[in-house]
Amino acid sequence: MTQPTPYGPQPGMAYPPPPPPPPLLPPPGGRSKGKALGLAAGALVLAGAAVAGFLYFGGEEGDTRHYRLTAPETVLDTYRKAEDQPDQVAGDDNREENRALGIEDSQEITAFYADGDGPEQRRLVYHGAWGRIGDPNGTLDRLFRKFTREPMGGVEGTFVGSPQDVHPKALDDAVMKCQKVRIKRNGGLLGKPVETELPFCMWADHSTIAFIFTLDPTTAGSGRPISLDKAAEDTARLRREVRTEAGT
């Protein structure tokens, strides 16, 4: 899977350039071979690309059924699918990378969403894969370790602390870990750098694995802490909304 950057992991998770500013970041362009999600190269790159444009302005055994991931028109009550969406392409290189992460026969999906209009528009990106995952917790650990070693595309950003196991009520039989990402940008008071922390959560079960990134301009520049618990709840709700049974 690709490294997280709040807008635009691409299959193969190349590092796209920062997207243009609001109303919503269009799908990033340009792929390079040899990158993962690949779930792994995309997360931070997702974050970097989306955040760059946005901030410029301001495990357990349980359900044995098999599932795939979808991209509904509306998620989490108010987020509607954006007009511009990334290409849904997954090559053999991505599948090999995902296999090394513990995801067999993988297929990937990315979707961009928006809530509202204008400078206070909230944005959401979710990116994931489905297939066969023998050890969901181990795959999460491998991905988080990979993310901490990858550069973030478009902005200066790092993961803060260590991934935390979280157990929101809607998670059911999946496992989830969350961590904060610290983004640094120029353009603050007197041109001084400004730091913003964003929550990053990812779930895994025996069929699916995905992460969610949300960007809220009303809190991103306020300096107020962003709750990992709230991010985990939203991620668990999204999981229920985007998974659909795929048969055996």
Side-chain angles (χ1 to χ4, degrees), residues 31-220:
R31 285 182 190 84
S32 62
K33 294 182 180 179
K35 300 294 182 182
L37 331 211
L39 278 170
L44 262 184
V45 175
L46 251 185
V51 171
F54 168 72
L55 293 180
Y56 178 79
F57 280 85
E60 301 169 354
E61 291 292 344
D63 192 344
T64 58
R65 292 171 292 184
H66 294 279
Y67 293 85
R68 66 185 301 272
L69 296 176
T70 64
E73 290 300 314
T74 302
V75 297
L76 301 183
D77 299 328
T78 58
Y79 285 94
R80 296 186 179 277
K81 189 182 289 186
E83 182 177 349
D84 292 313
Q85 294 291 323
D87 296 333
Q88 304 294 341
V89 179
D92 291 339
D93 288 346
N94 303 343
R95 294 190 180 96
E96 286 299 322
E97 183 73 24
N98 289 342
R99 183 175 295 114
L101 295 166
I103 311 164
E104 298 284 345
D105 303 323
S106 64
Q107 299 185 65
E108 302 165 20
I109 190 169
T110 305
F112 301 159
Y113 292 87
D115 177 15
D117 298 296
E120 294 188 357
Q121 181 188 73
R122 298 190 302 161
R123 305 171 201 173
L124 178 152
V125 59
Y126 109 86
H127 178 63
W130 70 92
R132 293 181 293 113
I133 303 173
D135 179 8
N137 199 63
T139 295
L140 276 187
D141 287 341
R142 284 188 284 274
L143 276 166
F144 270 101
R145 285 196 297 269
K146 190 173 185 71
F147 291 161
T148 60
R149 298 194 299 265
E150 300 285 349
M152 181 180 291
V155 296
E156 182 179 349
T158 56
F159 280 97
V160 179
S162 301
Q164 299 180 25
D165 293 307
V166 291
H167 307 280
K169 291 181 180 179
L171 189 59
D172 301 323
D173 62 335
V175 292
M176 183 184 295
K177 296 178 186 287
C178 294
Q179 194 169 358
K180 288 186 178 180
V181 177
R182 181 176 296 142
I183 308 292
K184 181 181 289 186
R185 66 182 178 93
N186 293 323
L189 185 63
L190 302 179
K192 294 183 178 180
V194 175
E195 288 190 350
T196 299
E197 288 190 356
L198 300 174
F200 172 75
C201 293
M202 182 163 51
W203 84 75
D205 54 49
H206 287 283
S207 298
T208 68
I209 182 168
F211 65 77
I212 178 177
F213 238 122
T214 58
L215 300 171
D216 186 343
T218 64
T219 59

